[in-house]
Amino acid sequence: MPIGQLDAIDRRILALLQGDARLTNVELAEKVNLSPSPCLRRVRRLEASGIIRGYHAELDRRGVGLELTVFVGIKVERHHEEQANAFREAVVNLPEVVTAHLVSGESDFLLQVVVPSLAAYEAFLTGTLLRLPGVSDIRSHFAIQPVKEYGTLPLANNNKT
Amino acid sequence: MPIGQLDAIDRRILALLQGDARLTNVELAEKVNLSPSPCLRRVRRLEASGIIRGYHAELDRRGVGLELTVFVGIKVERHHEEQANAFREAVVNLPEVVTAHLVSGESDFLLQVVVPSLAAYEAFLTGTLLRLPGVSDIRSHFAIQPVKEYGTLPLANNNKT
DNA sequence: TTAAAAATTGACACAAAATACCAATAAATA
DNA sequence: TATTTATTGGTATTTTGTGTCAATTTTTAA
């Protein structure tokens, strides 16, 4: 059951719920040409299998007073594994950090940071980021304009044959 | 009415729906110490005002066969505005591009690209990205490990006084 | 091709939630 | 303080979610 073999209907359900998580099961069932019962069962199965990880409201950042988004590339000295782990754990617990990835390339970590203002970012940078364990270099890329936000994942036919 | 002055209850509603968009209005009302009716009315107002932009299911990328996330920095020649606009429009319509921002710093645009495999990324890079109008330089940063995904926005007290 | 087994579906019934409307309360204004 | 305005809580109705079961479809193997 945990094996993820998705059929066409599953994929349509995922795509629809990605677009609107508040769709009624009745509406959803109509759109995928099922009756409500089997449709609901599929959704529950997708939830239980972990393919649907959760449902979230998308908020307008400006509307909630978060005017500034910054992408931050961070180099970390990783002579010991411990240091990298300490860094990871610290990052996870920072509410300003919306997203964080270990990446290849020039930087080691790439964070997405959201703050109310430039002043707040300055404070966050000097007061928090620069003090994280093992940080050797930080590059800030300020988001000037969102071109595409919260895009949904492409669910065409990525099925494992 | 469209003026966004959020009180403490509004902010708690937003935080809760950010965490779980499928909360029942009854549950939500309990958590914020309101009866269902005024709670629902607040939610509707937040939706109408645009502060709640939508509700989305969060999917497991691996689970839907999208094994690879790449952050792509792109430099675009912007001698004319037109070229930048053409680039923007093209990017918005690419399903593989989940997120795109115009940023300051070394690159002009920062994209988050999601694909099934390295081969698919190669094809996307050479077949699509490199052919976009005005592109002069591309740097790919492959996500090796997600440290923090889909973090919720920090909603402490960013109210405009 | 046929027969048996398994999985999936659709319909029904019940419980729970969403929604609209009302009077009552609280807050804001003059 | 008096009046207006906004917000709240309760009730009734409609809609939705959810579990059960028989019917259908699909799969598997002979």
Side-chain angles (χ1 to χ4, degrees), chain A residues 92-133:
Chain A
V92 170
N93 292 316
L94 297 175
E96 295 90 345
V97 176
V98 172
T99 275
H101 289 264
L102 178 63
V103 297
S104 70
E106 299 165 20
S107 301
D108 292 323
F109 289 93
L110 184 58
L111 316 188
Q112 185 184 169
V113 173
V114 175
V115 287
S117 64
L118 189 58
Y121 181 69
E122 207 181 319
F124 178 69
L125 184 62
T126 62
T128 305
L129 279 188
L130 283 168
R131 295 183 184 182
L132 290 182

Side-chain angles (χ1 to χ4, degrees), chain A residues 2-18 46-47 49-53 151-161, chain B residues 57-69 95 98 114-117 149-150:
Chain A
I3 307 113
Q5 201 57 308
L6 305 174
D7 66 10
I9 296 180
D10 288 322
R11 263 182 270 121
R12 285 174 65 194
I13 287 176
L14 292 175
L16 287 164
L17 288 179
Q18 235 195 149
L46 291 168
E47 290 170 348
S49 72
I51 288 182
I52 295 180
R53 294 178 41 159
T152 55
L153 300 178
L155 294 183
N157 43 357
N158 313 315
N159 245 0
K160 303 150 193 170
T161 39
Chain B
E58 172 195 342
L59 306 185
D60 181 85
R61 297 185 178 191
R62 292 261 164 78
V64 297
L66 297 166
E67 305 282 336
L68 193 58
T69 298
V98 172
V114 175
V115 287
S117 65
E149 288 184 301
Y150 304 102

